[in-house]
Amino acid sequence: MLSLENIYEDLKNMIGKENVSISIFDRINYALDPMPYDLAENEIPYVVVKPANAKEVSEVLKYANKNKVPVWVHGSGTALHGATRPKRNCIVLSTSRMTDVKIYEDRGYLECGPGIRVLDLSTMLDKRGYFLPLMPGSRMVATVGGGISVNTSGHLIDSCFGKPIDYVLGLEVVLPTGEIIETGTKALRRPSGLDLTRIFAGAEGLLGVITKVRLRLVPKPGDEAQGVAFFKGCLPIAKAIVRMYMEKALPPLFCELLDETCVEISFGMRGLEAPEGSAVVMLKTTGYRPGEAKWKLEKIFSAFQKENPIEMRIVDDLHEWEEIWSCREVIYPTLIQKKGPAIIGEVAPSLPKLPDAMAEVLELPKKMETVKNPEMYLYGHIGAPTMHPHFVVPAHLSNEERRRFVREVRTKTEELNIRYEGAGGEWGMSFQRIDFIKRKYGETYYNILLGLKKLLDPNNILNQGNIEGW
Ligand SMILES: Cc1cc2nc3c(=O)[nH]c(=O)nc-3n(C[C@H](O)[C@H](O)[C@H](O)COP(=O)(O)OP(=O)(O)OC[C@H]3O[C@@H](n4cnc5c(N)ncnc54)[C@H](O)[C@@H]3O)c2cc1C
């Protein structure tokens, strides 16, 4: 059995002492995630390492595998449901030094390190007339490697621009046993048939560490339009979204919901006007020809009209739009700041079931047992459709009660996903949804996942505990 001193010394020799930290601040910082309960002692890592490239990652993993020391992969640690919180004392492997970007316009792709922040890459691309189809609300800090590893489209509507995986041409991955492999292609035609790229993207760090990402370049849509539609509560919005698809309106880039209280809080804070007691949908459409985006938005509005909005308008003034959009963009941190820690659910029903699923989501507080009638707010990527019920965690709860409350929210929202035919999972939340996976897909499916993990990670080094669930 290695001592902490041995591990520290060995890792320093491997990747340089300035890239290995045993400071208690770093160890806690790299273990904390947005979960509203305290870190347990066995969740605090021994050490945090920051390798510079695939070769160094490989050395760290070979060492960990040989000595059976667990390793947690860390992008920026913003995954909302426990993915990056270690479940054992371990090595945390941060990707923060792997930030190289090379844009090959003549080849139609870019290559980047996993640690580059989403906002930084998207700003770089924007300057060259390209668009990054990766847009989590956390993009100011979230990494590209983290986004690909949870395969999240964030605010973007899947049926408009697809998922990040649709743009990944290839990956460099270090396996838990230390081998470095390449997947995919440098050609624009992606491999058909068996392609391991699809296994590693979305694997939440369970099967390997992504050390390089090759992404197809997407020309930026030059035309944009944005609008807001206020309705009397959330339910007509659910019906309006169903109509949007039924009437063959082209899906917008994003289409976001805030319930009545969120509107009151966030519009109120900015001095923006909103009809009293209204919930809102905010939309952005895009196009490649002048007028195309507005045409798409008008088509959506004409579908919405049948659900009797209180007010609906195109927002041409970009300054006004920034103000309106920021109401949605920062609703999660705003509520945390005003109301305290929270646990958020994710309900992503099938399209025809959206209105019924939403009605049940709105009833959730009455069904909670750990906390009676907790404060709940509703927002989300409603055009996707995804709803995020945001439950405030009362300050008086003990740590154990907070854990129970988190679990109850997860169980009750997953129950709705089963009943209303959804899957979701966009935040890298497998650790909290193994029961859901077993219920929805069955033991055979889960055993295939375990088999894959065992094949690639025979000593269960990477993100240990996440595939076992809580
Ligand atoms: C304010 C806020 C808003 C958010 N909004 C959204 C949203 O709109 N949509 C959404 O889907 N999510 C959202 N999230 C959740 C989260 O930010 C995203 O899922 C984000 O993509 C995670 O990126 P990260 O760099 O923080 O990854 P991390 O949290 O560090 O990691 C996520 C998972 O991927 C693994 N991983 C990270 N890097 C690698 C790598 N290089 N190789 C292998 N595995 C790796 C980790 O081990 C972990 O399991 C939000 C979070 C916050 C705090």
Side-chain angles (χ1 to χ4, degrees), residues 148-151 164-165 168 171 196-204 210:
I148 302 290
S149 295
V150 300
N151 193 23
I165 176 69
V168 181
L171 297 170
L196 286 180
T197 312
R198 290 182 173 273
I199 301 226
F200 290 106
E204 297 181 12
I210 296 172

Side-chain angles (χ1 to χ4, degrees), residues 56-108:
E56 289 189 0
V57 171
S58 164
E59 284 185 43
V60 172
L61 291 186
K62 276 184 188 153
Y63 174 82
N65 188 49
K66 181 167 159 231
N67 295 293
K68 302 198 173 49
V69 184
V71 175
W72 252 267
V73 194
H74 189 102
S76 74
T78 62
L80 285 166
H81 284 94
T84 40
R85 181 178 292 209
K87 317 294 179 294
R88 320 263 184 273
N89 303 120
C90 65
I91 298 170
V92 163
L93 188 155
S94 159
T95 60
S96 60
R97 287 178 67 220
M98 293 183 270
T99 55
D100 280 1
V101 177
K102 291 198 179 98
I103 300 177
Y104 300 99
E105 294 192 62
D106 55 334
R107 292 175 157 266

Side-chain angles (χ1 to χ4, degrees), residues 70-283:
V71 175
W72 252 267
V73 194
H74 189 102
S76 74
T78 62
L80 285 166
H81 284 94
T84 40
R85 181 178 292 209
K87 317 294 179 294
R88 320 263 184 273
N89 303 120
C90 65
I91 298 170
V92 163
L93 188 155
S94 159
T95 60
S96 60
R97 287 178 67 220
M98 293 183 270
T99 55
D100 280 1
V101 177
K102 291 198 179 98
I103 300 177
Y104 300 99
E105 294 192 62
D106 55 334
R107 292 175 157 266
Y109 62 69
L110 69 87
E111 287 180 346
C112 68
I116 179 92
R117 290 172 203 272
V118 173
L119 183 66
D120 293 345
L121 183 59
S122 115
T123 308
M124 247 179 245
L125 287 174
D126 189 68
K127 285 187 185 145
R128 300 228 200 165
Y130 296 107
F131 168 74
L132 181 66
L134 186 61
M135 196 184 176
S138 52
R139 66 189 168 284
M140 283 171 84
V141 290
T143 63
V144 171
I148 302 290
S149 295
V150 300
N151 193 23
T152 178
S153 20
H155 292 300
L156 302 180
I157 292 188
D158 302 23
S159 45
C160 180
F161 261 100
K163 285 272 190 209
I165 176 69
D166 299 317
Y167 299 88
V168 181
L169 293 177
L171 297 170
E172 176 186 75
V173 180
V174 183
L175 300 181
T177 39
E179 295 92 335
I180 303 173
I181 62 165
E182 287 260 351
T183 73
T185 173
K186 289 189 171 177
L188 289 178
R189 171 152 279 194
R190 294 172 51 179
S192 308
L194 293 175
D195 173 14
L196 286 180
T197 312
R198 290 182 173 273
I199 301 226
F200 290 106
E204 297 181 12
L206 285 161
L207 305 178
V209 180
I210 296 172
T211 45
K212 188 161 60 182
V213 180
R214 188 174 306 119
L215 284 175
R216 178 159 67 80
L217 291 173
V218 184
K220 188 177 144 191
D223 190 43
E224 290 187 346
Q226 43 280 319
V228 281
F230 296 93
F231 289 81
K232 190 110 205 77
C234 293
L235 284 175
I237 292 179
K239 292 182 186 157
I241 297 300
V242 177
R243 276 200 190 272
M244 175 178 88
Y245 282 98
M246 290 296 291
E247 300 201 0
K248 304 184 187 71
L250 292 170
L253 185 67
F254 54 76
C255 174
E256 296 284 325
L257 163 80
L258 288 181
D259 75 4
E260 300 90 311
T261 331
C262 291
V263 169
E264 201 181 307
I265 294 174
S266 57
F267 277 59
M269 272 170 61
R270 289 167 183 77
L272 293 168
E273 287 187 8
E276 207 182 324
S278 62
V280 71
V281 195
M282 303 172 180
L283 306 102

